[in-house]
Amino acid sequence: MDINSLLSGAIVMAALTIALFFLRFWRATGDNFFRLFALAFTLMALERLLAWQFRLTSEDVPQLYLIRLLSYGLILIAIVRKNRRTK
C-alpha cells in the first residue's frame, strides 16, 4: 500500500463521516440545508473513491472535476437557499 492509497482512504472515510453527521442533523431538524450538505460530502467521497479505484489523477480524467463541481454547487445552493428564506 502506498501513501496515496492511505490518504485517499482517509479522505473517503472523513467525507462519509461528515456526510453521516449532516444526515443525522437533517433527520433531527428536517432542514434541507443539511440534506444537501450530506449529499455533497457523499459525492466528494465518491469522487475520491473512483479516482483511487481506477488509479486516476485529475489530469487523466477531467470528468472527475464534474463530480467535485457538482458537490461544491450543492453546497452553494444550500447556503443561498438558507440565506434567502424569509422570516
Side-chain angles (χ1 to χ4, degrees), residues 10-21:
I11 292 170
V12 169
M13 181 191 66
L16 289 176
T17 302
I18 293 167
L20 287 174
F21 272 106

Side-chain angles (χ1 to χ4, degrees), residues 10-83:
I11 292 170
V12 169
M13 181 191 66
L16 289 176
T17 302
I18 293 167
L20 287 174
F21 272 106
F22 280 121
L23 194 60
R24 184 178 65 164
F25 296 146
W26 171 66
R27 289 184 70 197
T29 64
D31 192 351
N32 196 34
F33 175 82
F34 295 120
R35 186 176 63 119
L36 288 175
F37 264 70
L39 182 59
F41 277 96
T42 303
L43 284 174
M44 287 181 202
L46 175 68
E47 181 267 332
R48 182 60 66 160
L49 187 64
L50 288 173
W52 172 80
Q53 179 66 33
F54 297 110
R55 308 284 192 257
L56 302 172
T57 62
S58 298
E59 296 82 26
D60 293 338
V61 182
Q63 290 84 357
L64 285 177
Y65 278 121
L66 293 177
I67 298 173
R68 198 178 300 175
L69 180 65
L70 179 61
S71 66
Y72 293 155
L74 286 173
I75 290 172
L76 287 174
I77 288 170
I79 291 170
V80 167
R81 281 185 181 177
K82 185 75 169 180
N83 287 322

